[in-house]
Amino acid sequence: MHNKMVMKLFDIYDTSSVVVKDEALKPYLNLEPRLLLKSHGRHVAKFGAAKTHIVERLANRIAVPGHLGRKHKIITSWASGKYNKNMSTMLKTLALIEQRKKENPIQVLVKAIENASPRDETTTIEYGGARYPQAVDTSPLRRINLALRWLVQGAYHKSFGKKKKMAESLANEIILAADQNMEGFATTKKNDAEKQADAAR
């Protein structure tokens, strides 16, 4: 009998054993194994992001790290929207995570997203001409989007204009979030968002 061939992500990483512990995030974390992660924008629809592979979503976020607050950051050459450049950064990042953690890097990424996604945040409501902060529950899709944004922003600002490469910074940021280490930018932002929401209840 022939052994059943297991399809792997990039033909390197086995995602069949990856566990998503957070039940709310399960339907929105696409871990389907593919050789090439390129959806060509065909999931541009409501909740379409849930059909896009989580690694592709992270690679797409690398293209637009964005700036924090009002301070505009200069876009560096790798943050150019070039698919090959972003995906090669992702491959280097996953290889570094595997090297340092000695476990499946996709599982580490899932753990990092679970730990860095806020369950509550604040919005502003206007009542009688005055504005008040109001605590709201964060939707699962937005939780993942915020986690990905903070992971990339944290890595971007730690590698911008420094000797540290983006792949190294991103791997470090993902590992810190997976370990729930408060030195990580994403875990700090998540903690702040939840603290503000608690204060606004």
Side-chain angles (χ1 to χ4, degrees):
M1 278 180 74
H2 293 291
N3 288 335
K4 194 181 174 187
M5 198 175 139
V6 179
M7 177 81 161
K8 292 182 178 179
L9 180 65
F10 301 120
D11 205 19
I12 306 170
Y13 305 112
D14 184 6
T15 56
S16 60
S17 58
V18 175
V19 180
V20 182
K21 287 182 181 171
D22 196 318
E23 290 296 327
L25 300 183
K26 245 182 200 172
Y28 301 95
L29 273 169
N30 184 333
L31 297 165
E32 189 187 333
R34 288 183 195 162
L35 294 177
L36 182 69
L37 295 179
K38 201 164 189 179
S39 58
H40 295 283
R42 67 171 75 91
H43 300 312
V44 182
K46 198 175 181 184
F47 303 119
K51 293 175 189 168
T52 309
H53 199 285
I54 195 67
V55 174
E56 187 184 347
R57 283 170 71 182
L58 184 55
N60 290 342
R61 176 50 76 175
I62 290 173
V64 281
H67 49 265
L68 292 169
R70 292 168 184 271
K71 193 176 179 185
H72 189 82
K73 282 280 183 188
I74 304 159
I75 293 299
T76 49
S77 62
W78 51 261
S80 60
K82 283 190 167 54
Y83 173 85
N84 289 352
K85 212 163 209 175
N86 298 338
M87 210 43 94
S88 71
T89 300
M90 266 320 306
L91 281 164
K92 283 176 198 162
T93 301
L94 294 172
L96 283 167
I97 294 169
E98 189 175 37
Q99 198 181 316
R100 283 168 58 184
K101 291 287 283 180
K102 302 283 183 273
E103 56 182 293
N104 190 335
I106 309 299
Q107 182 66 73
V108 179
L109 174 62
V110 167
K111 219 182 286 180
I113 290 168
E114 287 176 329
N115 292 342
S117 57
R119 286 175 175 79
D120 324 286
E121 55 184 327
T122 47
T123 186
T124 307
I125 54 167
E126 206 164 311
Y127 187 75
R131 291 180 159 208
Y132 302 98
Q134 173 69 48
V136 288
D137 291 339
T138 313
S139 75
L141 202 56
R142 180 165 165 80
R143 281 178 63 193
I144 295 169
N145 287 340
L146 284 172
L148 294 177
R149 181 199 297 177
W150 291 336
L151 286 168
V152 170
Q153 279 184 342
Y156 180 66
H157 292 293
K158 281 173 190 170
S159 66
F160 183 83
K162 297 178 182 74
K163 281 183 182 177
K164 210 175 197 183
K165 294 275 185 274
M166 178 62 182
E168 203 183 317
S169 284
L170 187 56
N172 196 41
E173 198 61 45
I174 290 168
I175 289 168
L176 287 172
D179 294 343
Q180 287 186 303
N181 189 323
M182 293 315 290
E183 283 177 33
F185 179 81
T187 32
T188 308
K189 289 287 280 183
K190 177 228 178 168
N191 212 30
D192 291 349
E194 289 186 343
K195 271 183 185 169
Q196 283 173 4
D198 282 343
R201 288 202 185 282

